[in-house]
Amino acid sequence: MPSQPASTHAQKFLFHRPKLAVSLADIVTGDAPIGAEPTLCLAAPRRTGKSTFLRHDLGPELENRGILAVYVDLWADMAADPAHLIAEALKAELRRADSLPVKAARAVGLSKLGMGGVSVDIDRIGQAQGATLADALEALLERTHKRIALLVDEAQHALTTEAGLNAMFALKAARDRLNTRDDARDGPNLMIVLTGSHRDKLSRLVLNRDQPFFGTSVRSFPLLDRAYTDAYTAWINVRLAEGNRFDADDVFAAFDAVGRQPETLMRILSDAALLVGDARELKRALADGATELRQRVWDDYENAWSGLTPLQQAVVERLAVEGPQSAPFSAAALQAYADAVGEAVEPPAVQGAIEALRQKNILWRSARGQYALDDQGMAEWLKARTEKAGQG
């Protein structure tokens, strides 16, 4: 079944990717020939369609297979602890699974749900002395009689707090507990899909033995392709005057130039659609809009870079090259910094540079003291900048 728009008459364009949803659902459920991979990690840049896919394609595909899909966006409330957001999502599902309306349950003093021998206090899930996430998930399994798929969007945000990281360990424990039950012989009872907009950060959950999902590989989430822009071009052209419509080739070229970000493409098309002209004018407007947006982002990187000290620049370059395996205080790193700035560099100076970079929102630090560039686009810009300098 090909990827397709939801409707050519909808007020808001929504592009479905059913083939990809089936493929990923087969992998996590065990319907694929290779067997089940109950934990999937998918990485792609921000604003490239991951969240839309989880909510409108993968979730519904799993639900159609009789699996309860629970979606959690760890960036839904940046001020909230990721562990709290996961607990709240499970509380909401347990309340939906309860036969009593919530208000009625409170009126008679019922906050606990007893299900197949598993009893949890909904209000204390994830709290000290309360039910664990594993308890909550097992209770949900017992109450709904459905296998569960937990879809955690922007999962790397869990690494920013100790509680968030502990929640990831709790989910791993829940997965192991539920998937070793006797009723898991025909497929995993708990499937976990983690997505992230920062591959290096997401990798921190899987690379080392002391991380919750060690051994799981981080896969690249497929970016939207020509099928998306062709469908969107057809959808929008129906709404434009016959002599003021877009060419599919031009739209895809603009989409590719801005990193295949649907929202960015929509802004460019919206601006260009205000023109009343021939195809050449629209073509130029699309190309100019894409170039202007890309240049604006790269100018921001250039401005940020020029405001850094030589040592701060050396730290950023090292992290950009080394990625998730970076050890910013190692002997090799100190030598690289020294080579870059022309003098010996000691760890205290590196620590000062790192703290300054964190204040500038250029560097990210996990709760366990691991580092990465906050915006991976800066690494791409640095690579292009280095290549350009080499050609010059």
Side-chain angles (χ1 to χ4, degrees):
M1 183 176 180
S3 300
Q4 58 188 22
S7 170
T8 57
H9 302 289
Q11 290 302 308
K12 183 178 179 181
F13 179 77
L14 181 61
F15 185 74
H16 288 296
R17 307 172 76 180
K19 186 175 180 181
L20 180 60
V22 168
S23 175
L24 293 179
D26 283 348
I27 291 172
V28 294
T29 60
D31 291 337
I34 58 174
E37 291 183 44
T39 303
L40 274 181
C41 292
L42 304 170
R46 288 193 67 195
R47 305 188 185 284
T48 52
K50 297 187 304 299
S51 301
T52 298
F53 173 78
L54 288 183
R55 293 196 306 267
H56 298 289
D57 290 313
L58 184 57
E61 173 62 29
L62 291 165
E63 294 277 0
N64 288 339
R65 301 184 187 205
I67 295 167
L68 177 64
V70 182
Y71 175 79
V72 188
D73 182 1
L74 297 192
W75 272 2
D77 182 354
M78 293 296 286
D81 192 289
H84 171 75
L85 295 175
I86 295 171
E88 287 301 310
L90 294 180
K91 289 178 188 179
E93 290 297 335
L94 281 166
R95 289 187 174 113
R96 272 193 282 271
D98 187 13
S99 59
L100 283 173
V102 175
K103 289 184 179 178
R106 293 292 177 271
V108 295
L110 297 177
S111 65
K112 290 187 178 182
L113 292 175
M115 310 167 198
V118 181
S119 180
V120 299
D121 185 332
I122 297 176
D123 292 329
R124 295 190 60 80
I125 291 172
Q127 297 181 14
Q129 310 305 317
T132 65
L133 295 182
D135 292 334
L137 284 161
E138 188 163 25
L140 192 57
L141 178 72
E142 294 280 0
R143 181 67 182 85
T144 62
H145 304 291
K146 288 184 176 183
R147 294 189 289 161
I148 302 165
L150 189 60
L151 312 179
V152 184
D153 210 355
E154 299 298 352
Q156 78 280 348
H157 190 53
L159 293 166
T160 58
T161 68
E162 195 66 33
L165 184 58
N166 288 338
M168 290 292 107
F169 278 107
L171 291 182
K172 192 263 185 185
R175 182 199 67 185
D176 294 347
R177 175 167 141 189
L178 269 62
N179 291 349
T180 53
R181 289 173 31 139
D182 289 342
D183 57 2
R185 286 190 295 264
D186 297 327
N189 280 323
L190 177 61
M191 294 143 274
I192 301 172
V193 178
L194 309 172
T195 74
S197 57
H198 196 299
R199 192 182 190 92
D200 286 355
K201 293 178 184 178
L202 193 63
S203 295
R204 307 286 183 182
L205 289 168
V206 305
L207 283 179
N208 301 318
R209 291 186 178 277
D210 60 349
Q211 296 304 317
F213 297 107
F214 173 69
T216 300
S217 60
V218 177
R219 301 169 183 243
S220 294
F221 179 75
L223 298 180
L224 289 162
D225 56 17
R226 179 67 185 254
Y228 167 78
T229 54
D230 282 354
Y232 187 46
T233 303
W235 182 87
I236 200 169
N237 276 344
V238 171
R239 290 155 177 77
L240 298 175
E242 187 173 346
N244 195 40
R245 292 178 176 172
F246 295 104
D247 179 82
D249 290 341
D250 299 338
V251 173
F252 178 70
F255 186 55
D256 202 40
V258 295
R260 304 200 179 190
Q261 297 180 347
E263 290 181 13
T264 304
L265 177 67
M266 289 177 188
R267 289 202 302 272
I268 295 172
L269 288 173
S270 179
D271 290 342
L274 296 176
L275 293 173
V276 178
D278 59 22
R280 286 177 298 177
E281 289 177 319
L282 284 176
K283 181 184 184 75
R284 185 168 59 252
L286 276 176
D288 289 349
T291 300
E292 180 183 347
L293 280 174
R294 183 173 56 184
Q295 190 59 49
R296 194 183 307 163
V297 172
W298 283 38
D299 285 347
D300 288 343
Y301 290 142
E302 184 69 53
N303 291 334
W305 181 258
S306 64
L308 302 181
T309 67
L311 178 55
Q312 290 167 5
Q313 290 178 350
V315 171
V316 170
E317 287 183 316
R318 178 82 179 174
L319 283 169
V321 171
E322 294 294 316
Q325 300 290 0
S326 175
F329 298 98
S330 67
L334 293 176
Q335 185 59 55
Y337 306 147
D339 292 342
V341 303
E343 61 183 24
V345 176
E346 299 297 330
V350 177
Q351 186 63 55
I354 284 175
E355 289 306 313
L357 290 167
R358 290 183 65 202
Q359 291 296 318
K360 295 173 185 287
N361 294 320
I362 292 174
L363 210 62
W364 170 88
R365 181 184 184 276
S366 76
R368 296 287 177 88
Q370 299 162 315
Y371 298 94
L373 293 184
D374 194 66
D375 183 352
Q376 280 194 308
M378 188 170 217
E380 296 170 8
W381 170 80
L382 272 173
K383 181 181 179 181
R385 187 176 187 272
T386 302
E387 290 174 351
K388 184 177 180 181
Q391 293 170 357

